[in-house]
Structure formats: structure tokens, C-alpha cells
Amino acid sequence: MSRGFSIKTRKKELEKCSTIDFDLIVIGGGITGAGIALDAVTRGFKTLLLEKSDFASGTSSKSTKLIHGGLRYLKQFEIGLVRESGRERAIVHNLAPHLVHPEKMLLPIVKHGSFSQFTASLAVSVYDYLAGVSRVDRKEIFNKEEALKLESLLDKDTLKAAIRYSEYRTDDARLSFELIRKARELGCHVFNYCKLDQLSYKEGIVNGVEAIDMTDGARFKFKSKYVVSAAGPWVDGIRNNDHSLKGKQLRLTKGVHIVFRHEDLPLKQAIYFDDFKGRMLFAIPRWGVSYVGTTDTDYAGNLDRVVCGENDLQYLIEATNNMFDGIELKASDVISSWAGLRPLISEPGKKASEVSRKDEIFESDSGLISIAGGKLTGYRKMAKRVLDLLRDKDRRLPQSNCITDTVKLSSVPFKDYREVNNMKQQIQSEFPELVQGPVMASYMVDNYGIHAGTILESARQLLTKHKDPDQALMQAELHSALENEACYRPEDFFIRRTGMLYFAPERLLKHFDFILDEYARFFSWDSVSIEKFKSEALQLLKDSLVT
């Protein structure tokens, strides 16, 4: 695992960066900015990435957590988008097989639904063709009885048939972080909690940025030939500060997901289902829970605090209860939720759910380049378009082509998905006191890859200090995150490095005070800081509907 990636040890690197003339500064540490940084450094660009909060703290930790081609976009005739996204799925799976998992998706054909069996079959056939799906993974059609064997929760009264097709599941925040870490490993300078204060100019042309280290308030100036804004929902704010907010602008839409205990929504497999109001939703089992999403509504509120509202909650619960037989979920059954914003390109006259997911690049007269729109799945292609644009417009820059389709994201990568599954079995047998069952095994390997073994070995050495083996494991995970994964705030750990807030809130609540105590010791917080961070973390728990 890459060493020395800690907030505590970065001051000298920040000071060093203020003396470097960069080729490119990337603003935004979500999946888009991370992809651009990795593409840039592999082409030989001297690159700096700045993120105002934590890596992937915005949209890139709030998706449906699928690497998918977007079957529903066929209805909008987004053929190019579906083709590109569909083909990217297999590439990203190959680059990080522990993070991008094959996921069979079941599409029920129901009475009065959006799809008939004919239209669904045709749509999935086109989808498979555009995505270049191998013959063994192409669609399968099941009659009603066969479909109920696959998922007994489906409503027997409305079900007619079902189609199963291939998708991929991921952890969006971990995928973003692995891109960041790989870029850093290859020479890119990357900093979270380093906020853009203002762009700097020479004769009206952007030539760098002024930034603030959010951990201590220190100010830095960084020089660069080009600045790319990949700041997601904040892109228009940066364009406005550049006095270039004209023409097309962003349309922000909110997407909400809610999580249930598996016993309350005991799904056997992932379902792509109808809300009977013209939209399709996902219900996905993962790590012992089931989550449902997503909504798609216009948003004009606080960009830094997006939460699940009462209307969002009731809509998702009602749609889930309507689709699944014998399920009577209530708001009190929701154990957590997440809400994020899609930075889409505005298309007047269209509903929120109808707006294209295509990305678009904006160039201002000052030379600022901004990119918005797009999908998680298309991060690599979005980065390629930005870097190709820069390469072609300036012969001073490295003229190399994109190679990120071959750059494995882990420092010690798995050869294939079989190795991923073998390791899950291996750690259950090697660490039975710490890894009790397949859910914990999946959690460890999905999160940490081959480095799960190193963390578990550290936890074993801590067992003599802890009566609870899980607390020993928690300490080992936390210290690895603090020392090697640039964690600064507690929520960096329990949202974006582990996903505990969403998928294991009971484990988080059990160890909440312990986590805060370990943070305080690591950073030598005083009592005021401890109360501040604890209060903010508790607010996050409240916002996420943890019961």
C-alpha cells in the first residue's frame, strides 16, 4: 500500500508545489478530476490536483454505485452514450476487479409497466450489442415462474416475465480514491482539503490559482499553463468567478438512495424496476443490506448539504412497496440514506429525468477549461477528451496518447476476478477471529484489495489490546486510512474510505466514540476541536436517517 499519504505530512509538499511551474492544475477530486489527473500524469504532464473537501465528497460518493451503460438512455436515443459507457464497463472492471464487480440485473416485465416483453427484449438486445457484451453474458429471458425462482419477492399479481442482463457494481468513492492514489504514485501532486480561493491571471489569461489549506488556513499560489475545472456542481461558480458564465449552464438534479436491513428487504439479486410513473429504479443487495434509488428532481439548495427529504423518502418507499410482494416498508425501516447532485447540462423544456447525461467541455476567453455532465462510467473517456484537447492546442505540452485503459489502479493488482473471489475465501480461513462470514470478507477485499491481508495482520496484533475483535479490526482500518489514505475528518473514514455510514451504520454507531478518540490522538486535537468534529459527525448521522 502506498505509504506516507497523510494529511499530517503534506505541508512540505504543498510548499514545494508553490515553486513548480505545472502544465496542468485540476480543480476537483471527484471521479472526473481524478480521471483527468491520472490521464495527465501518464502522458507526462506536470500535474497538480486540488480538492476543497475530501476526495469524492461530492457527487462521486453519492451515485447508485453502478458501472453501467444506462439502459434507460436508449429511450432518449442516446446511442453514443450507451455505446461508450457500455464498452467502458469491461475496461474499468479489468483495471480494478476488486472494485468493479459483475452484477446480474433482473428487469421484471409487469402489467401496465414501462416495458412490454417485446420492447424490453429489443432494448436489452441493442444494449448488449452496443456494449459489446460477450455471448455468455447476454440477456436471458424468463417466464413468470422462472423469474419468481430468481426473486421470490416480485409481485405475483403483476409479474408477467423477466429479463436478466449484465451490469457492474462498484464503490464510487473507493474507485475515485484509487484513481487519485495511482495518479499520486505516478508523480501527480494531489491534495484534499485545499480549496481554490481564486484564479490567477497574466494579461487576462489564467496562469494558476491561489488556494487555502483548509486544515490550518495557510495560503499558497500555484502556477500552471492550464487550469481545468472538474468541480461537478461547483463548476458554474468557478466559471462565474472567471466572468465566463455565459451560454450553456448547469442544471443540478438531486438523486437520493435509501438503505434497509436485508431482513426487511431480503433481495436475492439486483432488480431494475418500474415506479409506474414513467421512471425506473434500482434495488440492490450489498454487504448484508439492500438499497433503493434513485430520485431525479431539480435542486437549488445548499450545495454542501444535500439530504434526503420527506418527499424523496416517501416516493422511494411507495415505489418499493408497489413492486415487491409482501413488503410493507416504513420510514422507520430506513437505516441510512445518501443524496447527491448531478451536474447536468441544462436543456430547457425537458424534465429533470430527461436531461442528457452527456459531458461537455467549456473553454473561456481566459483559457479556463471546464467539464461537466457525464456519468461515473465514462470518467476515463471524459478525461481523454480533456487531455486530447490540451495536447492538440499546445505543442509545448507532451504529445502522448491516452494509455489509461491499461493502467491498473492498485499498486498490487489482481490478475482477474477469480483471484478476487479466492482472496475472500482465503482471509476467512486465515483470520477466522476477525472475518466472520462472507459479508465481512467481501467488505474487506472490495475496499482494500490485496492490502486487506496487511490490515488484517495488523488487527491480529492488536487483539491483545481489545476484548472485541471487531474493535481491533476497526483500529487497524482507521490507522491505515489516517496514515495511507489522507483522512482528515471522521466522515472521510466512515463514509468514503469504508462506506460504513451507508452500509453498516450499526457497526459505526458501536465504534463511534472509539473512532473519535483515535482521531483525537492521531491529530493531537484539543477539547474544542474534539467537540467541533464530533458535533459535525453527529449531524451527518442525523442527515443520513440513521435510526
Side-chain angles (χ1 to χ4, degrees):
M1 185 176 290
S2 177
R3 308 300 299 178
F5 196 6
S6 169
I7 290 282
K8 287 175 65 174
T9 59
R10 72 183 190 159
K11 187 60 67 180
K12 287 185 178 179
E13 188 180 352
L14 275 166
E15 292 171 352
K16 176 184 176 182
C17 287
S18 67
T19 69
I20 297 173
D21 289 332
F22 287 99
D23 295 317
L24 176 63
I25 294 176
V26 182
I27 305 300
I31 191 76
T32 306
I36 291 169
L38 180 59
D39 196 334
V41 73
T42 55
R43 297 190 195 214
F45 283 60
K46 286 188 289 184
T47 307
L48 169 67
L49 180 144
L50 305 176
E51 162 58 47
K52 72 182 184 72
S53 299
D54 185 31
F55 303 122
S57 56
T59 303
S60 297
S61 57
K62 310 292 175 52
S63 75
T64 308
K65 307 185 187 301
L66 293 173
I67 296 290
H68 68 115
L71 177 60
R72 73 183 185 89
Y73 304 135
L74 285 177
K75 295 173 69 175
Q76 301 166 10
F77 300 102
E78 298 271 18
I79 303 301
L81 178 65
V82 174
R83 178 189 291 111
E84 179 175 289
S85 298
R87 292 175 186 266
E88 282 295 298
R89 298 178 308 171
I91 292 173
V92 184
H93 170 64
N94 180 58
L95 299 179
H98 71 290
L99 278 172
V100 182
H101 308 270
E103 183 84 51
K104 289 293 186 179
M105 193 73 62
L106 193 66
L107 170 60
I109 310 302
V110 296
K111 296 176 183 176
H112 312 299
S114 297
F115 289 99
S116 68
Q117 183 167 332
F118 173 76
T119 58
S121 179
L122 179 61
V124 176
S125 292
V126 173
Y127 187 68
D128 283 348
Y129 172 75
L130 292 173
V133 175
S134 63
R135 186 176 299 276
V136 69
D137 285 327
R138 290 177 189 168
K139 72 172 186 187
E140 303 170 87
I141 300 175
F142 301 96
N143 62 31
K144 178 177 178 177
E145 290 71 26
E146 292 168 332
L148 287 170
K149 289 180 181 178
L150 293 172
E151 183 49 78
S152 58
L153 290 183
L154 294 173
D155 188 347
K156 302 174 183 62
D157 294 331
T158 60
L159 182 67
K160 298 168 67 176
I163 296 175
R164 188 166 64 180
Y165 63 101
S166 296
E167 291 286 21
Y168 291 85
R169 171 177 53 82
T170 192
D171 183 318
D172 47 6
R174 288 298 308 192
L175 179 61
S176 300
F177 182 74
E178 291 297 344
L179 287 163
I180 290 282
R181 184 156 57 185
K182 174 57 69 170
R184 182 176 185 270
E185 180 184 307
L186 296 176
C188 181
H189 299 272
V190 300
F191 300 96
N192 54 350
Y193 294 101
C194 197
K195 181 181 180 180
L196 170 69
D197 184 42
Q198 61 184 18
L199 300 166
S200 56
Y201 299 84
K202 183 178 181 180
E203 298 178 354
I205 302 300
V206 173
N207 72 340
V209 304
E210 295 182 25
I212 303 170
D213 183 349
M214 301 302 288
T215 69
D216 62 7
R219 302 181 70 90
F220 295 90
K221 292 183 179 181
F222 304 111
K223 296 180 181 179
S224 180
K225 294 184 179 72
Y226 292 94
V227 174
V228 170
S229 170
W234 294 269
V235 157
D236 275 0
I238 296 174
R239 292 172 70 202
N240 187 54
N241 292 339
D242 181 56
H243 306 293
S244 59
L245 184 57
K246 54 189 176 182
K248 292 183 178 179
Q249 299 184 21
L250 296 188
R251 178 175 178 178
L252 303 181
T253 71
K254 182 170 74 166
V256 172
H257 298 77
I258 56 178
V259 185
F260 301 95
R261 295 179 180 85
H262 187 260
E263 52 264 37
D264 292 327
L265 184 58
L267 295 171
K268 294 179 182 177
Q269 70 150 78
I271 308 291
Y272 184 44
F273 70 96
D274 210 312
D275 75 344
F276 297 103
K277 297 178 181 179
R279 293 196 71 252
M280 300 293 292
L281 302 173
F282 291 99
I284 301 173
R286 173 176 172 164
W287 293 350
V289 300
S290 299
Y291 67 94
V292 178
T294 178
T295 61
D296 203 347
T297 55
D298 285 311
Y299 185 81
N302 185 348
L303 302 189
D304 294 306
R305 184 171 178 259
V306 186
V307 300
C308 174
E310 183 65 27
N311 290 340
D312 304 317
L313 185 65
Q314 292 304 322
Y315 163 70
L316 291 172
I317 289 174
E318 179 183 345
T320 306
N321 287 339
N322 285 343
M323 175 52 58
F324 298 109
D325 194 21
I327 297 297
E328 297 180 0
L329 297 167
K330 306 178 295 298
S332 59
D333 295 321
V334 176
I335 61 171
S336 64
S337 70
W338 67 88
L341 300 177
R342 304 176 187 86
L344 307 178
I345 312 302
S346 182
E347 295 181 81
K350 288 191 174 183
K351 297 178 182 178
S353 60
E354 295 173 344
V355 178
S356 173
R357 269 52 177 172
K358 286 182 179 178
D359 57 277
E360 191 155 344
I361 298 172
F362 305 99
E363 293 185 75
S364 78
D365 293 339
S366 71
L368 174 68
I369 295 171
S370 305
I371 183 167
K375 288 160 43 64
L376 176 74
T377 309
Y379 80 85
R380 204 186 62 79
K381 287 287 191 176
M382 292 167 68
K384 180 180 183 299
R385 283 189 275 275
V386 170
L387 270 297
D388 285 350
L389 172 69
L390 290 172
R391 178 200 62 190
D392 294 344
K393 74 182 296 179
D394 192 339
R395 303 296 295 182
R396 298 174 300 166
L397 297 171
Q399 296 296 299
S400 304
N401 292 322
C402 177
I403 62 168
T404 54
D405 59 338
T406 63
V407 178
K408 296 280 190 175
L409 299 188
S410 294
S411 55
V412 184
F414 290 100
K415 293 179 181 177
D416 52 35
Y417 199 60
R418 181 180 298 178
E419 278 197 357
V420 175
N421 288 326
N422 287 344
M423 184 168 186
K424 291 178 182 180
Q425 296 177 7
Q426 178 184 336
I427 63 173
Q428 286 184 78
S429 61
E430 287 188 12
F431 303 95
E433 69 277 40
L434 296 164
V435 184
Q436 298 178 355
V439 170
M440 182 56 77
S442 291
Y443 162 78
M444 290 299 298
V445 177
D446 292 355
N447 260 7
Y448 305 114
I450 285 175
H451 302 300
T454 304
I455 293 171
L456 286 163
E457 191 57 54
S458 296
R460 176 174 279 166
Q461 294 173 18
L462 292 167
L463 283 173
T464 55
K465 293 175 55 178
H466 298 277
K467 293 181 180 180
D468 179 3
D470 192 51
Q471 192 168 90
L473 179 56
M474 183 67 70
Q475 183 175 347
E477 288 185 79
L478 178 54
H479 278 266
S480 177
L482 290 168
E483 293 164 1
N484 306 315
E485 297 190 343
C487 276
Y488 174 57
R489 301 170 69 94
E491 57 264 33
D492 302 344
F493 177 67
F494 57 67
I495 295 179
R496 290 170 288 275
R497 302 302 184 275
T498 65
M500 272 192 296
L501 178 60
Y502 303 148
F503 301 110
E506 292 171 347
R507 184 180 186 227
L508 169 59
L509 291 173
K510 176 182 175 183
H511 298 297
F512 181 77
D513 289 335
F514 175 75
I515 292 169
L516 267 291
D517 289 344
E518 290 296 298
Y519 258 92
R521 275 192 284 272
F522 187 82
F523 288 111
S524 301
W525 285 344
D526 57 24
S527 59
V528 174
S529 296
I530 291 172
E531 287 306 310
K532 173 181 179 290
F533 283 113
K534 183 173 183 178
S535 175
E536 292 171 350
L538 286 171
Q539 182 62 52
L540 274 170
L541 297 185
K542 182 179 178 181
D543 285 348
S544 297
L545 300 176
V546 177
T547 56

